[in-house]
Amino acid sequence: MRAFSQAPVLFPFIEMILLFCICLSCLSRYSSAKTNDGPIIGVLAQEVNSPKPNRSTYIAASYVKFLESAGARVVPVMINQTVEEYTALFNAINGMLYPGGGVSIISSGYQRAAKILYELAIQANKKGDYFPVWGTCLGFEQLTSLTSGNTVLSYTNTRGGSLPLNFTDEIKDSRMFKGFPAELMKDLASEPLTEISHRWSLALLSYNTNDELKKFYKVLSTNTDGKTEFVSTVEAYDYPIYGTQWHPEKNAFEWTKPFIPHSRSAVKTTFYMAEFFVSEARKNFHRFESEEAESKALIYNYSPVYTGNKSGFEQIYFF
Ligand SMILES: *[C@@H]1O[C@H](CO)[C@@H](O)[C@H](O)[C@H]1NC(C)=O
Ligand SMILES: *[C@@H]1O[C@H](CO)[C@@H](O)[C@H](O)[C@H]1NC(C)=O
Ligand SMILES: *[C@@H]1O[C@H](CO)[C@@H](O)[C@H](O)[C@H]1NC(C)=O
Ligand SMILES: *[C@@H]1O[C@H](CO)[C@@H](O)[C@H](O)[C@H]1NC(C)=O
């Protein structure tokens, strides 16, 4: 009798534990339904200057590290694929990054891929399928041409250096800088924390006189080469589309130029920019059709090559 008498006391206790565990698993399922904590971001490859066997296109490894540092995995997006192939890939990834570089934004494999993926992103976002796109330097320039349908850039003396950002009033309700610590914003506005190395800029005057660009992008910062004031950071009003003429990925990961800033605030800038974009990709729920297809597509299938002693990048993935 005695031995059994404890049973009714024990059962409710076990039930409570079970219930608690079930609730916990509900909770975790609930939170994973709201954000995609395994975001995979496509990074676009581009043509190399002088192709060699198996080295016709490349991605600088710093863009990959940039995204990985904030919790994303990367898929290299090759040039010269068919629309069907890009569409299938688009439906498997959670965001797209157009890196800097040196190819044509009017006629190159990079441009053709960027255009197809941009149009897919616009269509998807219009239907409520949140798909973020980021352009850095050449990628930013490519975005201005895709959005305006024109070449709108001006030649500037901006070949290599670092600058503070001249923030606009739009910064107050920007999505991009919302999570930045106040102190870092102060440093960004006063210290040369943003590396620039480009020839073509979107002059503020061109932006102000271009209806397509003005309707589409909010200007968050500008800079000047002493002659021309140009747009240096944008975010789209109605789409998760972002662009920087400067290089957030370099501060933490590139060492080949003496003007790349590496101070604590400079490296924080790399991280907070990456954190912002990867958190945008967590709002997308595209996925590969199988784990096998996913693992075949990931950048882990390739090895970066050390090129810091002979190029502007420490490490490069060649394809
Ligand atoms: C190029 O890549 C192919 C397949 O990945 C490989 O079999 C071949 O040896 C490579 N060629 C060179 C020159 O590296
Ligand atoms: C891409 O296509 C162009 C034009 O057809 C061709 O010249 C180029 O070699 C191709 N590049 C790669 C990497 O497939
Ligand atoms: C910052 O932007 C303002 C307004 O756009 C402009 O008047 C000013 O000259 C800019 N300053 C610098 C240092 O670029
Ligand atoms: C750069 O470093 C690599 C790896 O150590 C080496 O193979 C290559 O010869 C070096 N190139 C130059 C130009 O120093």
Side-chain angles (χ1 to χ4, degrees):
M1 233 6 233
R2 217 160 212 282
F4 290 116
S5 71
Q6 279 184 358
V9 182
L10 261 177
F11 277 134
F13 182 64
I14 291 171
E15 259 171 55
M16 259 168 63
I17 291 182
L18 272 176
L19 208 70
F20 181 67
C21 293
I22 290 167
C23 282
L24 272 185
S25 77
C26 292
L27 253 176
S28 71
R29 211 166 295 152
Y30 180 64
S31 63
S32 67
K34 280 183 74 182
T35 66
N36 170 4
D37 289 342
I40 296 181
I41 297 176
V43 177
L44 187 54
Q46 65 185 277
E47 292 89 339
V48 300
N49 276 336
S50 44
K52 293 180 192 67
N54 291 356
R55 288 193 175 194
S56 53
T57 63
Y58 79 97
I59 292 173
S62 45
Y63 294 96
V64 176
K65 297 176 204 181
F66 174 70
L67 296 171
E68 287 182 345
S69 74
R73 283 167 295 165
V74 167
V75 162
V77 177
M78 306 305 176
I79 65 166
N80 286 7
Q81 309 288 296
T82 63
V83 174
E84 291 70 30
E85 285 168 317
Y86 285 126
T87 305
L89 184 61
F90 179 82
N91 289 320
I93 59 178
N94 310 114
M96 193 61 215
L97 186 150
Y98 302 157
V103 295
S104 167
I105 57 167
I106 303 164
S107 66
S108 63
Y110 175 94
Q111 178 272 336
R112 283 187 292 277
K115 183 168 193 290
I116 294 166
L117 290 157
Y118 176 84
E119 283 163 4
L120 288 168
I122 295 284
Q123 283 166 25
N125 282 298
K126 274 189 178 150
K127 287 188 298 196
D129 173 14
Y130 198 88
F131 188 93
V133 177
W134 184 285
T136 298
C137 199
L138 180 76
F140 166 76
E141 294 166 21
Q142 183 69 74
L143 284 174
T144 66
S145 128
L146 292 171
T147 305
S148 68
N150 264 307
T151 46
V152 289
L153 304 176
S154 310
Y155 191 85
T156 49
N157 182 17
T158 44
R159 287 299 288 278
S162 58
L163 296 170
L165 294 177
N166 190 5
F167 287 122
T168 67
D169 285 345
E170 302 275 19
I171 203 75
K172 284 193 224 88
D173 48 21
S174 83
R175 302 185 298 275
M176 191 188 290
F177 291 104
K178 202 166 68 189
F180 278 51
E183 199 169 330
L184 183 56
M185 291 302 282
K186 225 176 68 203
D187 293 348
L188 270 166
S190 57
E191 295 171 21
L193 301 182
T194 64
E195 196 267 5
I196 51 159
S197 40
H198 61 280
R199 269 179 262 189
W200 297 94
S201 298
L202 174 61
L204 191 59
L205 190 63
S206 307
Y207 166 84
N208 280 331
T209 51
N210 185 294
D211 279 349
E212 272 78 29
L213 292 176
K214 234 183 137 163
K215 270 196 319 236
F216 197 86
Y217 294 109
K218 191 191 289 185
V219 174
L220 302 182
S221 77
T222 62
N223 282 103
T224 174
D225 68 347
K227 277 195 197 141
T228 306
E229 192 174 1
F230 60 92
V231 174
S232 48
T233 312
V234 295
E235 73 182 20
Y237 284 102
D238 299 322
Y239 295 89
I241 298 181
Y242 305 92
T244 60
Q245 182 69 77
W246 51 284
H247 284 271
E249 78 290 347
K250 284 197 196 290
N251 297 0
F253 300 116
E254 298 289 6
W255 298 86
T256 59
K257 297 285 178 336
F259 48 76
I260 300 172
H262 299 292
S263 68
R264 194 172 173 197
S265 293
V267 173
K268 276 190 191 171
T269 301
T270 301
F271 177 72
Y272 277 98
M273 292 302 266
E275 205 286 322
F276 168 72
F277 187 60
V278 171
S279 74
E280 289 289 276
R282 288 195 185 93
K283 298 175 188 165
N284 179 280
F285 294 90
H286 293 180
R287 50 192 294 184
F288 282 88
E289 60 195 16
S290 66
E291 265 182 47
E292 196 194 351
E294 179 182 292
S295 53
K296 256 179 80 180
L298 290 166
I299 193 100
Y300 309 132
N301 291 289
Y302 305 88
S303 299
V305 177
Y306 171 46
T307 50
N309 54 358
K310 58 183 172 208
S311 94
F313 304 112
E314 290 298 343
Q315 292 181 303
I316 297 181
Y317 289 92
F318 289 104
F319 309 105

